[in-house]
């Protein structure tokens, strides 16, 4: 199961980087043609959300896998069969697809006023909403609520899984057993911390504390740096 989930995590990270770097960003860097169509911006945004939400769900599935491996080792092979793991991965991709399509359609149905200049590296939700006409507070609240619902439910599942794992590890009599159990979780815990930490700082900060420079730096870390570090982190464990 670990390798199946890692394969999906690698695909999500690679897809996210490809959406952001190819071909529009590279074209903008080497030429003065820095415009993007409304449809192109919507496509970038939908794939950005798709890969991000899917990774969020997949990290929760991986936490559940670690919980089953440590807290129910005798039943692990039957309860976490290949079919179950494939279904968990498919659900992660499906949830990401539905949320991304719904939010993107909702945002791009708004009317946009000039100047239509996105002060960002790519088409992300906050800078796009800033270009919409009129009061967008209700739209921002709706997007914020959906994002919180999707991410917080997965985050709570991760917290609950590691709470049970910690209780099981502390009850182990041998220090070697505790160290071995914790070592199987260290890579996933570090990856989840980087992902949720950077995403939370990027999207859940108060609007008054946003600044274009900091937002660009955080977005670069959240989308590119984190996904680049994932295989490096897991290679230490493997």
């Amino acid at each position: 199961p670990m390798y199946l989930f890692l394969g999906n995590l690698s695909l999500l990270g690679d897809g996210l980087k490809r959406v952001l770097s190819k071909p529009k960003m590279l074209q903008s860097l080497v030429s003065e043609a820095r415009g993007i169509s409304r449809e192109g911006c919507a496509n970038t945004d939908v794939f950005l959300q798709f890969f991000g939400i899917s990774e969020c769900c997949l990290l929760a599935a991986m936490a559940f896998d670690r919980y089953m491996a440590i807290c129910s080792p005798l039943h692990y092979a039957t309860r976490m069969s290949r079919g179950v793991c494939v279904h968990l991965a498919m659900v992660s991709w499906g949830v990401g697809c539905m949320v991304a399509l719904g939010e993107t359609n909702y945002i791009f149905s708004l009317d946009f006023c000039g100047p239509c200049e996105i002060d960002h590296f790519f088409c992300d939700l906050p800078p796009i909403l800033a270009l919409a006409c009129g009061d967008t507070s209700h739209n921002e609240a709706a997007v914020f609520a959906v994002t919180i619902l999707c991410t917080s439910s997965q985050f709570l599942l991760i917290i609950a899984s590691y709470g049970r794992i910690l209780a099981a590890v502390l009850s182990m009599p041998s220090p070697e057993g505790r160290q071995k159990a914790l070592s199987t979780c260290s890579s996933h815990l570090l990856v989840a911390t980087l992902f949720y930490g950077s995403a939370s700082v990027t999207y859940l900060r108060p609007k008054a504390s946003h600044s274009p420079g900091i937002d660009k730096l955080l977005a670069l870390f959240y989308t590119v740096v984190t996904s680049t570090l994932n295989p490096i982190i897991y290679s230490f464990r493997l």
Side-chain angles (χ1 to χ4, degrees):
M2 178 180 67
Y3 291 102
L4 188 146
F5 288 133
L6 286 178
N8 280 269
L9 187 66
S10 177
L11 287 174
L12 289 171
D14 185 62
L16 181 62
K17 287 183 288 186
R18 287 178 182 274
V19 167
L20 296 180
S21 62
K22 297 180 179 180
K24 194 61 188 177
M25 183 179 289
L26 295 180
Q27 177 188 349
S28 299
L29 290 174
V30 299
S31 69
E32 294 299 323
R34 300 189 177 183
I36 186 170
S37 66
R38 186 187 181 105
E39 293 76 15
C41 190
N43 288 334
T44 301
D45 183 66
V46 73
F47 279 108
L48 175 66
Q49 293 186 69
F50 167 60
F51 289 121
I53 296 294
S54 298
E55 184 171 346
C56 176
C57 296
L58 190 66
L59 288 174
M62 295 172 73
F64 179 72
D65 171 70
R66 294 297 85 203
Y67 159 72
M68 292 300 301
I70 294 175
C71 298
S72 300
L74 299 180
H75 302 283
Y76 178 73
T78 55
R79 294 182 178 177
M80 294 300 293
S81 64
R82 182 173 181 82
V84 172
C85 295
V86 169
H87 278 91
L88 288 174
M90 290 176 63
V91 168
S92 300
W93 289 80
V95 171
C97 182
M98 289 188 294
V99 173
L101 289 174
E103 285 199 346
T104 303
N105 181 68
Y106 178 65
I107 294 302
F108 279 86
S109 63
L110 300 173
D111 294 323
F112 293 93
C113 306
C116 291
E117 181 177 339
I118 301 175
D119 190 12
H120 211 280
F121 292 128
F122 50 87
C123 293
D124 203 5
L125 283 180
I128 292 173
L129 275 172
L131 302 179
C133 302
D135 183 15
T136 61
S137 57
H138 296 294
N139 307 93
E140 292 175 6
V143 171
F144 183 81
V146 172
T147 304
I148 286 292
L149 181 62
C150 292
T151 56
S152 63
S153 58
Q154 311 304 322
F155 181 72
L156 290 176
L157 180 57
I158 293 175
I159 293 296
S161 297
Y162 276 105
R164 296 294 297 272
I165 288 172
L166 182 60
V169 169
L170 292 177
S171 64
M172 293 179 179
S174 74
E176 293 81 8
R178 290 195 293 269
Q179 182 178 359
K180 183 178 179 181
L182 289 176
S183 68
T184 64
C185 303
S186 57
S187 297
H188 174 264
L189 189 58
L190 181 56
V191 168
T193 301
L194 285 174
F195 178 83
Y196 276 97
S198 57
S200 299
V201 174
T202 302
Y203 294 105
L204 302 183
R205 288 182 300 143
K207 189 175 181 180
S209 65
H210 282 244
S211 68
I214 295 177
D215 288 347
K216 292 176 185 178
L217 181 63
L218 290 173
L220 184 65
F221 184 88
Y222 162 63
T223 54
V224 178
V225 177
T226 302
S227 57
T228 303
L229 289 176
N230 287 351
I232 300 174
I233 293 171
Y234 273 104
S235 68
F236 293 125
R237 170 59 191 158
L238 300 177

